[in-house]
Amino acid sequence: MTPHAPSRPAPARRDFIRKAGAVATTALLGDLVTRGAWAAGSDAPEKKEVKIGFIPLTDCASVVMASVLGIDQKYGVKIIPSKEASWPGVRDKLVNGELDMAHVLWGLVYGVHLGVSGPKKDMAVLMNLNHNGQAITLSKKLADKGAVDAGTLAQLMAKEKREYTFAQTFPTGTHAMWLYYWLASAGINPMKDSKITTVPPPQMVANMRIGNMDGYCVGEPWGHRAVADGIGITAVTTQDIWKDHPEKALGTTGEFAQKNPNTCRAVVAAILEASKWIDASLSNKMKMAETVADKAYVNTSVDVINQRILGRYQNGLGKTWDDPNYMKFYNDGLVGMPYLSDGMWFLTQHKRWGLLKEHPDYLAVAKQINKIDLYKDAATAAKASIPKDVMRTSKLLDGVVWDGKDPAKYADGFKVKA
């Protein structure tokens, strides 16, 4: 082989793509003979049953539907969804091997990898699960005093001095970062001007109802639920903070990804196909909402889920709108890619808020965690579109552009920080 010869994928990966492509052309519950071809090949999943943890949130839907629709079986695996109570619980079960994978916060995976959110352990992001679809809720009591967005909240906090409490779901997680970024955009330093507390997603509404917090950031349906129950208002959606932001990831340990690459590819391919199915039609979205609303999954009423999954928003103050940037699971292949720049962004915010004391090697850490090659193999098998670039450019609500090119400068450039 000459020094300039192109590198070729390993035989197992070539086999995986070729056979998965063949299998993917069969019907949803395709021909068993075709499916049996998986058992003999070098691409056969190392582990047939894969236990995937999830928190009761709308964005667990692609994991759930891959299992419920039997898409996982096309790729030679059986996904066992495991309902978990809190993000720290998900973290602990991933680290100790009770869970093989999880529907998980990007920042949790990165935090564990660097040892800033629990025991340090090498971690992996296999794919991004969804964009958009979270919200920051303020209590009706605050709204009645005129605090309905970041600016009016800052005015009220300056006028009425007391301890203001805001909740997020995990210290290094996405909801913490959206909350802090939004508060800071109005000059509120979350670390100095307020009390920050951590609350599991399904407990947010109950805690606001009894007055334990002034506001919170969480995934749906718990933003809309507060509006429907008349106890909170939607001050901002996270897609208005950052359009098409990364939200949940499919995470596992570095060790599991290394030992079970075929299993990982098979699961990612199945979830990608389920994501494509969800985004394909209105009726599919409705079917998904009916499925995940069940007590085995999110445990809420269907209407609390299906409005915002269709982009139909109301803020609790009489305003209704159709949001084109609602929660998306596939979006022509743009959602699944675990962009390196997305992972790096969370590290910049961890540094900004003092969770990291020094600048890490941002790009090197993202390359360690995000399994880009594995994702591309799985996307090819699932016939999913693959974005050309592993970095992307975004403008956030304060007009600051993030492109991943100078992360240390970006992290240090914010006026409001820890």
Side-chain angles (χ1 to χ4, degrees):
M1 176 170 150
T2 68
H4 301 291
S7 60
R8 293 174 65 81
R13 282 169 57 189
R14 283 204 307 273
D15 244 14
F16 173 87
I17 293 167
R18 180 174 55 78
K19 287 184 181 170
V23 174
T25 58
T26 64
L28 190 62
L29 297 174
D31 180 83
L32 286 169
V33 177
T34 308
R35 207 184 290 161
W38 282 81
S42 59
D43 61 317
E46 301 84 359
K47 192 165 188 194
K48 307 296 184 196
E49 286 199 353
V50 186
K51 190 175 182 184
I52 304 183
F54 71 92
I55 292 287
L57 292 161
T58 305
D59 53 31
C60 73
S62 55
V63 174
V64 170
M65 297 314 294
S67 170
V68 170
L69 295 174
I71 297 171
D72 51 356
Q73 295 171 45
K74 288 174 59 176
Y75 296 94
V77 288
K78 183 173 173 56
I79 291 172
I80 313 289
S82 176
K83 188 173 180 176
E84 305 298 331
S86 69
W87 292 122
V90 168
R91 173 200 60 200
D92 294 346
K93 289 183 179 183
L94 268 179
V95 167
N96 70 24
E98 283 182 65
L99 293 172
D100 298 315
M101 302 175 187
H103 149 261
V104 71
L105 301 162
W106 271 84
L108 185 153
V109 173
Y110 271 68
V112 171
H113 191 86
L114 292 174
V116 295
S117 61
K120 186 174 176 1
K121 191 174 180 79
D122 284 353
M123 299 296 286
V125 167
L126 302 177
M127 68 180 292
N128 184 65
L129 292 175
N130 69 293
H131 285 163
N132 308 325
Q134 327 292 300
I136 293 175
T137 300
L138 293 178
S139 73
K140 205 72 165 59
K141 289 176 185 173
L142 282 192
D144 289 343
K145 292 185 175 185
V148 295
D149 55 24
T152 49
L153 174 64
Q155 290 168 17
L156 180 67
M157 288 174 71
K159 188 171 75 173
E160 290 191 16
K161 301 285 190 186
R162 63 171 175 85
E163 185 175 72
Y164 288 80
T165 301
F166 300 100
Q168 38 77 9
T169 62
F170 191 81
T172 60
T174 49
H175 305 115
M177 298 308 119
W178 311 142
L179 177 66
Y180 301 167
Y181 202 101
W182 179 74
L183 290 169
S185 73
I188 302 166
N189 189 318
M191 304 304 169
K192 296 170 184 168
D193 302 334
S194 67
K195 179 184 174 186
I196 299 293
T197 184
T198 302
V199 175
Q203 295 174 26
M204 286 291 191
V205 176
N207 273 276
M208 180 169 275
R209 185 177 283 111
I210 60 174
N212 280 356
M213 62 181 74
D214 295 290
Y216 63 73
C217 184
V218 73
E220 293 298 344
W222 307 120
H224 183 63
R225 183 63 188 267
V227 171
D229 290 1
I231 61 164
I233 62 118
T234 296
V236 69
T237 65
T238 51
Q239 55 265 32
D240 280 340
I241 297 173
W242 174 358
K243 181 187 167 217
D244 293 339
H245 65 78
E247 187 43 51
K248 302 303 184 301
L250 182 67
T252 186
T253 62
E255 182 183 22
F256 187 91
Q258 188 178 7
K259 287 183 177 176
N260 304 281
N262 293 338
T263 304
C264 290
R265 283 190 278 265
V267 170
V268 171
I271 293 174
L272 265 174
E273 194 170 324
S275 303
K276 200 187 289 189
W277 179 88
I278 293 168
D279 278 11
S281 71
L282 185 65
S283 62
N284 286 3
K285 288 187 179 74
M286 298 298 281
K287 168 74 173 167
M288 177 274 280
E290 288 169 18
T291 303
V292 301
D294 188 80
K295 64 174 187 276
Y297 303 113
V298 178
N299 192 24
T300 192
S301 57
V302 177
D303 61 328
V304 168
I305 292 178
N306 67 16
Q307 292 303 300
R308 290 192 172 182
I309 204 68
L310 302 173
R312 294 170 189 158
Y313 277 77
Q314 52 180 295
N315 68 353
L317 294 165
K319 180 188 172 187
T320 61
W321 71 101
D322 287 330
D323 193 331
N325 304 312
Y326 54 84
M327 187 183 293
K328 292 176 184 175
F329 293 88
Y330 182 66
N331 196 15
D332 297 326
L334 296 175
V335 175
M337 170 64 79
Y339 296 97
L340 296 177
S341 52
D342 286 2
M344 291 162 66
W345 185 86
F346 288 106
L347 294 177
T348 68
Q349 300 307 297
H350 294 168
K351 176 65 175 68
R352 176 186 183 181
W353 300 117
L355 296 159
L356 288 169
K357 303 305 175 195
E358 307 292 335
H359 288 291
D361 186 335
Y362 292 92
L363 184 58
V365 172
K367 283 180 174 177
Q368 285 168 8
I369 296 174
N370 297 13
K371 303 303 178 190
I372 301 286
D373 288 345
L374 190 150
Y375 174 78
K376 287 180 175 177
D377 290 344
T380 301
K383 289 186 162 46
S385 302
I386 302 172
K388 288 187 175 70
D389 206 340
V390 295
M391 306 284 275
R392 62 178 180 145
T393 301
S394 309
K395 184 188 281 190
L396 278 69
L397 86 161
D398 52 7
V400 178
V401 172
W402 165 246
D403 60 13
K405 285 177 182 164
D406 194 343
K409 182 181 177 184
Y410 178 86
D412 288 342
F414 292 99
K415 288 178 187 170
V416 181
K417 52 191 171 186

